[in-house]
Amino acid sequence: MKNYLVGGAVRDKLLGYPYVERDWVVVGATAEQLINLGYQPVGKDFPVFLHPKTKEEYALARTERKSGPGYTGFDCYASPEVTLEEDLQRRDLTINAIAEDDDGTLIDPYGGQQDLDKGILRHVSPAFEEDPLRILRVARFSARYAHLGFTLADETLLLMKKISASDELLALPAERVWKEMHRSLSERSPDIFFVTLQQCDALKKLMPELDESFHTIIEPLKQAAISGLPDVICFAILFAHIDTVETENFCQRMKAPREFRDLAILVSRFSISCKDDFSSPDQLLTLLESLDPFRRPERFGLFLQSVQLLYNNDRAINQMKKSLRACKSIDAASLAREGLKGKEIAEALRSRRIEAMTPIFIDGDRQ
């Protein structure tokens, strides 16, 4: 039995790129041997185990054969007879098919080091096209390493187009699509994720809403990443020029977390209102009431950051911030102490908030 470090840890170590997780492949062993050594089996589809102390993943060397649609349609064969080279051959990209033994020697049967040096993302074998999830993984790696000058090999792009032309992409579970998309939003160049999907014709299959608005989303997304904005904003600004119903449907289909969904819907519905200066306190108060910054101040802050990135209208942003402060000075409880009730409180609250906001529109940014 022999263990080899594989995958991302080897790749990023060679690139001098930060990494956290380490994955291992075990050659010449059986599941029973690992269990007897205290390894804990995880998952149902693949022979993967957690190390009893480090909790790192150790997978038995295996081969795979396509047996059905989608990324789960594989028969997996794990045996002590499966070689390291056979295990590496089933991997997606050559840069992910490098192993390292315990003395630091690299095993690189498919030219991964050469592709790392040249900055090329290239598939290992024709079996690449059997797994549609690899399109999303390659797009994510493109987003991860674009700033290092990595490009996609022509022959790999052709295979990705071939996958996109089939119905294989439609077999991918929404959770897996979301996972790759979400991870890409935190990469150095998240815009390249969508550029790559568009180049291989996968964007119109998986995310037709974003394909239709493709040319409006790339530059804001690039700027968001340069500015170090969080992934929830990177996601929301994708929908600034997309119909709100389509945005809701997209988020539901992808099963996006509530935080992402809520901000995306707000940006879709209301961001265009902030492109120009507000003309009256009544107009702005109506918007603030819809955005509900009184109960959701953190979400409102994210909305302001999104709008600032999209339209760079400092005056409108200042109007919103100052108006919110003015509105917060009006206390509904104090109106109740004045003897007002029910609808009277709501009407007085709105009237006094508009009154408090009015000087902002008279004196402008001097307030």
Side-chain angles (χ1 to χ4, degrees):
M1 183 174 77
K2 190 170 178 60
N3 301 331
Y4 297 88
L5 184 66
V6 293
V10 179
R11 176 195 69 226
D12 287 341
K13 185 189 296 187
L14 291 172
L15 282 174
Y17 205 83
Y19 64 92
V20 178
E21 296 182 354
R22 300 196 305 170
D23 295 319
W24 304 80
V25 65
V26 183
V27 177
T30 64
E32 290 75 16
Q33 284 177 293
L34 291 184
I35 292 173
N36 290 336
L37 291 171
Y39 288 75
Q40 179 184 354
V42 295
K44 298 179 180 180
D45 301 322
F46 303 116
V48 179
F49 303 81
L50 297 182
H51 190 279
K53 294 182 179 179
T54 66
K55 303 305 178 184
E56 293 176 337
E57 288 191 358
Y58 284 68
L60 292 178
R62 65 183 187 265
T63 60
E64 295 170 347
R65 182 176 62 84
K66 186 71 169 174
S67 60
Y71 85 105
T72 59
F74 291 89
D75 288 332
C76 173
Y77 175 71
S79 164
E81 286 75 38
V82 176
T83 67
L84 176 63
E85 288 73 15
E86 289 174 322
D87 181 273
L88 295 175
Q89 188 179 34
R90 67 175 176 78
R91 297 175 185 270
D92 49 10
L93 298 174
T94 60
I95 64 172
N96 295 330
I98 309 170
E100 179 183 297
D101 68 13
D102 51 13
D103 67 2
T105 300
L106 295 176
I107 299 90
D108 180 21
Y110 305 107
Q113 293 178 86
Q114 185 178 13
D115 284 343
L116 279 177
D117 292 339
K118 293 182 178 180
I120 297 176
L121 301 176
R122 189 194 316 274
H123 63 282
V124 174
S125 76
F128 175 93
E129 69 176 280
E130 295 178 351
D131 185 355
L133 184 64
R134 288 176 170 173
I135 281 186
L136 291 161
R137 281 176 52 82
V138 171
R140 174 165 59 83
F141 286 126
S142 296
R144 182 178 176 86
Y145 299 122
H147 70 286
L148 297 180
F150 273 72
T151 58
L152 188 57
D154 292 340
E155 60 269 30
T156 302
L157 179 59
L158 286 175
L159 276 184
M160 292 167 67
K161 287 185 175 182
K162 186 176 179 181
I163 297 172
S164 297
S166 72
D167 291 331
E168 284 283 288
L169 282 178
L170 303 180
L172 288 174
E175 294 88 348
R176 291 311 305 261
V177 177
W178 167 255
K179 181 178 179 181
E180 295 298 327
M181 178 182 181
H182 182 206
R183 292 178 69 179
S184 296
L185 292 173
S186 298
E187 299 291 3
R188 287 281 294 269
S189 306
D191 53 298
I192 301 301
F193 175 79
F194 299 97
V195 169
T196 303
L197 292 183
Q198 205 265 351
Q199 286 177 336
C200 71
D201 304 324
L203 194 62
K204 61 185 178 184
K205 278 284 187 74
L206 292 172
M207 309 172 191
E209 303 91 342
L210 300 184
D211 185 61
E212 291 176 5
S213 62
F214 177 75
H215 295 293
T216 68
I217 67 176
I218 296 304
E219 189 58 32
L221 187 54
K222 183 187 301 184
Q223 293 305 315
I226 292 173
S227 301
L229 295 178
D231 53 7
V232 66
I233 291 180
C234 290
F235 178 72
I237 61 176
L238 298 174
F239 300 92
H241 304 288
I242 295 178
D243 178 78
T244 304
V245 173
E246 289 187 348
T247 300
E248 292 175 340
N249 290 340
F250 182 96
C251 292
Q252 183 176 5
R253 187 173 76 250
M254 291 296 169
K255 300 182 180 180
R258 182 174 180 178
E259 177 189 10
F260 287 79
R261 181 198 66 200
D262 288 355
L263 184 60
I265 290 173
L266 287 184
V267 169
S268 170
R269 182 174 293 157
F270 299 116
S271 66
I272 193 65
S273 302
C274 310
K275 183 177 181 180
D276 301 314
D277 299 349
F278 296 97
S279 59
S280 70
D282 182 76
Q283 175 201 15
L284 180 47
L285 181 56
T286 299
L287 175 62
L288 290 177
E289 289 169 341
S290 299
L291 294 172
D292 195 16
F294 311 103
R295 294 184 302 174
R296 303 288 299 275
E298 291 184 4
R299 188 182 68 179
F300 179 66
L302 294 172
F303 177 82
L304 289 183
Q305 287 181 280
S306 303
V307 168
Q308 178 67 38
L309 178 77
L310 289 165
Y311 303 117
N312 195 30
N313 187 344
D314 291 334
R315 182 175 174 81
I317 297 294
N318 287 333
Q319 285 179 311
M320 296 175 75
K321 289 180 177 179
K322 293 172 183 178
S323 293
L324 178 59
R325 287 197 295 268
C327 288
K328 285 182 175 180
S329 68
I330 312 300
D331 183 15
S334 65
L335 298 178
R337 289 194 292 270
E338 292 178 17
L340 300 179
K341 297 180 180 179
K343 187 177 180 181
E344 293 177 330
I345 293 179
E347 292 175 347
L349 185 63
R350 193 170 207 283
S351 175
R352 295 190 189 185
R353 281 176 170 173
I354 289 177
E355 183 180 350
M357 292 167 60
T358 298
I360 296 170
F361 289 80
I362 295 175
D363 298 330
D365 289 339
R366 292 194 297 275
Q367 289 292 318

